Amino acid sequence: MSRPAAGRAVSGRCLLEDGSEYACIASDLGPCGAVIACAGLPRVGERVVCYLDGIGAVRGRVDRVQPSRFHIGLDVGEARLARIMARLAWREARTGEQRAAPRLVPVNDRTQVCLPGGRVVAARIADLSMVGVALRVEAPEEALPPVGALIRVGLRYAVVARALEGGFAARFRLPLSRETFNPEIVL
């Protein structure tokens, strides 16, 4: 199966058998278990549940206790273990990404951009996040707005953040809501 996530730490909450709950950091998470660092220290043999960010609930039994951390052997089924390992692999693959917001390309990727001075040009959405958009604009390079210019993408106001080949990226004045951010969105 997968190797442990040795260098990666995942934050979360740890619920001990006595009902106490602590902030925790899990490391060395793999098929054989995990090292949990938290303020509360359980006894060997005690059951714990760790709710790890981006991973979910990880159940286990304590098999070693050290002064500031403890090791649990995982008490999860094969299917749950496979999901945990898949989420860890996904997290590892994303560590190099610099973008904080998720991206998508809407089904209807066409929109209109109102440039400074009122000129309206057709554009295609190259990528969209809740906070901004990258556009391919059907206009000559010299007609593109400068960085910092206020524009309107569809009905949303935005500020040009950077120039791209054949277009530009802009940051929305007000971010999109989670409810409207989906592939069906129309700008």
Side-chain angles (χ1 to χ4, degrees):
M1 203 165 266
S2 301
R3 62 178 175 71
R8 297 172 300 247
V10 181
S11 59
R13 308 276 312 156
C14 186
L15 181 63
L16 303 183
E17 207 169 76
D18 66 5
S20 58
E21 186 175 344
Y22 301 93
C24 72
I25 297 176
S27 59
D28 296 330
L29 183 56
C32 296
V35 174
I36 310 296
C38 73
L41 288 176
R43 296 177 309 277
V44 171
E46 191 173 320
R47 292 176 196 250
V48 298
V49 179
C50 296
Y51 298 95
L52 303 177
D53 299 341
I55 305 295
V58 176
R59 300 176 192 284
R61 190 175 294 272
V62 178
D63 54 22
R64 287 190 309 272
V65 177
Q66 296 173 339
S68 62
R69 60 186 179 267
F70 55 94
H71 184 273
I72 60 171
L74 299 185
D75 187 15
V76 296
E78 211 172 289
R80 177 70 181 129
L81 180 59
R83 285 194 303 274
I84 290 169
M85 293 298 109
R87 288 179 182 167
L88 282 171
W90 180 82
R91 285 174 60 99
E92 183 177 322
R94 292 199 59 202
T95 55
E97 291 184 17
Q98 295 180 1
R99 295 176 173 171
R103 302 279 197 261
L104 62 82
V105 177
V107 174
N108 179 5
D109 67 346
R110 295 190 179 276
T111 190
Q112 291 190 329
V113 178
C114 183
L115 301 171
R119 181 173 176 207
V120 177
V121 295
R124 292 191 87 135
I125 299 169
D127 117 350
L128 175 70
S129 77
M130 289 177 21
V131 297
V133 62
L135 297 164
R136 301 286 178 234
V137 181
E138 298 167 11
E141 291 286 328
E142 59 274 2
L144 297 180
V147 172
L150 180 64
I151 60 167
R152 196 177 72 231
V153 180
L155 298 175
R156 300 197 66 83
Y157 285 94
V159 175
V160 176
R162 67 184 172 281
L164 303 173
E165 189 174 327
F168 56 88
R171 184 171 203 75
F172 296 130
R173 299 283 303 269
L174 295 172
L176 298 169
S177 70
R178 291 188 188 277
E179 294 78 27
T180 59
F181 182 67
N182 64 63
E184 303 301 320
I185 191 167
V186 175
L187 291 182

